[in-house]
Amino acid sequence: MSFKELSERQISLMQSLSAESRTLASLRDTLLPALMSGELRIKDAEKQVEEVL
């Protein structure tokens, strides 16, 4: 495998992981306040996360 191929794979993986991290951060920022206030129950939050992932 050439350096170019290896680096392209690594860049693609980094982009994918970065996108996943942004998605998880968004879910956290959306769900955590509702969970802390009691507005949302754990079971309901799990369903919402499953829909996104």
Side-chain angles (χ1 to χ4, degrees), residues 4-24:
K4 180 181 177 186
E5 292 170 331
L6 183 59
S7 61
E8 287 173 347
R9 284 186 181 187
Q10 291 298 323
I11 290 170
S12 177
L13 178 59
M14 288 187 327
Q15 291 170 337
S16 175
L17 292 173
S18 181
E20 182 177 4
S21 180
R22 285 190 302 273
T23 299
L24 291 171

Side-chain angles (χ1 to χ4, degrees), residues 21-52:
S21 180
R22 285 190 302 273
T23 299
L24 291 171
S26 176
L27 281 169
R28 177 203 61 214
D29 294 344
T30 301
L31 296 175
L32 188 58
L35 288 166
M36 296 297 288
S37 70
E39 178 183 333
L40 184 64
R41 294 176 20 168
I42 296 289
K43 292 285 184 189
D44 299 329
E46 288 174 343
K47 288 178 187 175
Q48 288 183 6
V49 170
E50 288 174 0
E51 290 173 4
V52 173

